[in-house]
């Protein structure tokens, strides 16, 4: 198993746990910007420590700053819209659609921007991986969602921003930039944006402090690990890496079913099995 593929799997695991705790925040009705503020600053702080310990050249500086700014701001939008979407639809709807739409968009970026074609086996894995989640969508699902249309709107917007944000990791790899510096600056920027927006828009109602802080800090660690591993994995084909990373949906779906008793049936079980099968072709 190649190193980049292992990094992609580790990134997916960390991203899955991160996504599950976003679901916890949504269930607790936490302020999305405040949770993100804690997470972004913790991730930035961890990256800063490793950045200081591994200082090297950051060239070209313009590309370094641009990728960090795009990643930081776009990732923040993606996370805030994800929390908003999860308040309206279940994880078993949100994450499979995200898994389908995101890799399709990233494939376009991979092929047309970075000139990375797929071979025959990879195409089989890719098509299998992005098509089976569509089995989860049915009329019956609409009746058990809080607001399906609103949730899907937030989902689409967030996915577009997430794809653009993730694509900057390939720019870091191609230009041999310092990964830790990239993560530090990205989340320092998004942390300040999130904090500023929270201060400007939050009501005077006190947040449920300790629980929110714990989730924010824990997610900061998971966010750092996920982005670091994802960036390291982009030495491989970006479309494949992103598709493997998107299989992180299995983590929040399974945990949400067991902890929050979300709707689950045989069809959804089959989708999970087929998702795992697609990994064999992508590998």
């Amino acid at each position: 198993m190649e190193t980049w593929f292992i990094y992609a799997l580790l990134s997916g695991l960390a991203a899955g746990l991160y996504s599950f705790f976003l679901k916890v925040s949504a269930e607790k009705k936490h302020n999305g910007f405040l949770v993100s503020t804690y997470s972004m600053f913790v991730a930035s702080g961890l990256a800063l420590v490793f950045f200081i310990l591994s200082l090297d050249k950051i060239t070209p500086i313009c590309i370094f700053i641009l990728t960090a700014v795009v990643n930081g701001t776009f990732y923040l939008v993606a996370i805030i819209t994800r929390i908003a979407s999860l308040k309206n639809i279940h994880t078993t709807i949100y994450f499979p659609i995200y898994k389908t739409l995101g890799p399709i968009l990233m494939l376009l970026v991979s092929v047309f921007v970075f000139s990375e074609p797929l071979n025959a086996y990879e195409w089989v894995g890719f098509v299998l991986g992005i098509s089976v989640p569509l089995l989860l969508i049915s009329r019956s699902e609409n009746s058990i969602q809080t607001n399906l249309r609103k949730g899907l709107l937030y989902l689409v917007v967030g996915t577009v921003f997430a794809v653009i944000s993730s694509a900057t990791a390939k720019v870091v790899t191609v230009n041999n930039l310092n990964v830790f510096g990239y993560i530090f600056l990205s989340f320092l920027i998004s942390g300040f944006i999130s904090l500023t927006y929270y201060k400007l828009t939050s009501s005077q109602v006190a947040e449920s402090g300790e629980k929110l802080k714990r989730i924010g800090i824990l997610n900061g660690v998971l966010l750092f690990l996920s982005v670091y591993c994802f960036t390291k994995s982009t030495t491989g084909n970006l479309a494949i890496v992103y598709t493997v990373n998107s299989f992180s949906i299995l983590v929040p779906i399974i945990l949400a079913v067991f902890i929050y008793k979300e709707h689950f049936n045989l069809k959804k079980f089959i989708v999970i099995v087929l998702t795992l099968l697609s990994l064999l072709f992508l590998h």
Side-chain angles (χ1 to χ4, degrees):
M1 187 178 294
E2 296 187 52
T3 302
W4 68 264
F5 193 81
I6 296 176
Y7 272 122
L9 291 176
L10 292 175
S11 175
L13 176 60
L17 291 172
Y18 177 80
S19 296
F20 172 71
F21 284 108
L22 287 181
K23 172 64 177 177
V24 174
S25 285
E27 290 290 331
K28 299 293 183 182
K29 301 188 184 304
H30 291 159
N31 184 289
F33 281 101
L34 186 56
V35 174
S36 294
T37 297
Y38 281 110
S39 300
M40 302 298 178
F41 281 143
V42 169
S44 180
L46 285 173
L48 177 60
V49 172
F50 287 103
F51 178 50
I52 293 174
L53 295 175
S54 62
L55 284 175
D56 59 10
K57 294 188 298 182
I58 307 176
T59 55
I61 190 66
C62 291
I63 295 179
F64 177 79
I65 294 176
L66 179 61
T67 53
V69 170
V70 172
N71 182 47
T73 54
F74 280 47
Y75 192 84
L76 176 61
V77 174
I79 294 305
I80 296 303
T81 53
R82 177 177 297 179
I83 294 177
S85 182
L86 288 172
K87 290 180 180 179
N88 292 282
I89 57 177
H90 287 180
T91 56
T92 48
I93 294 297
Y94 178 93
F95 289 105
I97 298 178
Y98 171 82
K99 174 187 175 299
T100 301
L101 179 60
I104 291 174
L105 295 177
M106 188 60 82
L107 176 63
L108 297 176
V109 174
S110 179
V111 172
F112 293 105
V113 177
F114 297 106
S115 301
E116 297 177 321
L118 302 181
N119 61 38
Y121 281 100
E122 291 168 343
W123 269 112
V124 172
F126 180 82
V127 172
L128 180 62
I130 66 174
S131 61
V132 293
L134 296 179
L135 294 171
L136 293 171
I137 308 302
S138 65
R139 289 188 176 184
S140 62
E141 290 293 344
N142 183 59
S143 63
I144 61 176
Q145 308 304 313
T146 303
N147 190 325
L148 184 62
R149 180 175 298 181
K150 185 176 181 180
L152 292 177
L153 176 61
Y154 279 121
L155 187 159
V156 172
V157 173
T159 302
V160 171
F161 277 85
V163 166
I164 297 175
S165 171
S166 297
T168 62
K170 186 71 175 184
V171 177
V172 172
T173 299
V174 170
N175 290 278
N176 196 30
L177 304 180
N178 187 295
V179 177
F180 296 118
Y182 158 75
I183 298 174
F184 160 66
L185 185 56
S186 295
F187 294 124
L188 181 66
I189 293 170
S190 58
F192 275 114
I193 294 174
S194 183
L195 178 61
T196 300
Y197 195 86
Y198 170 72
K199 292 291 186 181
L200 293 175
T201 61
S202 63
S203 64
Q204 298 302 311
V205 179
E207 292 286 333
S208 51
E210 292 305 314
K211 182 71 172 180
L212 185 150
K213 289 179 182 178
R214 286 197 297 270
I215 291 177
I217 293 172
L218 175 60
N219 262 3
V221 176
L222 293 171
L223 178 60
F224 168 77
L225 292 173
S226 177
V227 176
Y228 173 75
C229 290
F230 181 83
T231 304
K232 296 290 288 185
S233 70
T234 56
T235 53
N237 186 293
L238 183 59
I240 297 177
V241 168
Y242 193 81
T243 302
V244 172
N245 180 268
S246 71
F247 292 155
S248 62
I249 65 167
L250 298 179
V251 178
I253 286 177
I254 293 173
L255 291 177
V257 167
F258 280 101
I259 295 176
Y260 292 110
K261 311 301 180 185
E262 287 195 354
H263 182 254
F264 193 76
N265 55 23
L266 179 60
K267 182 186 291 186
K268 292 174 181 177
F269 174 75
I270 293 174
V271 166
I272 290 176
V273 172
L274 291 177
T275 298
L276 294 175
L277 180 62
S278 66
L279 278 173
L280 297 178
F281 290 95
L282 291 172
H283 175 249

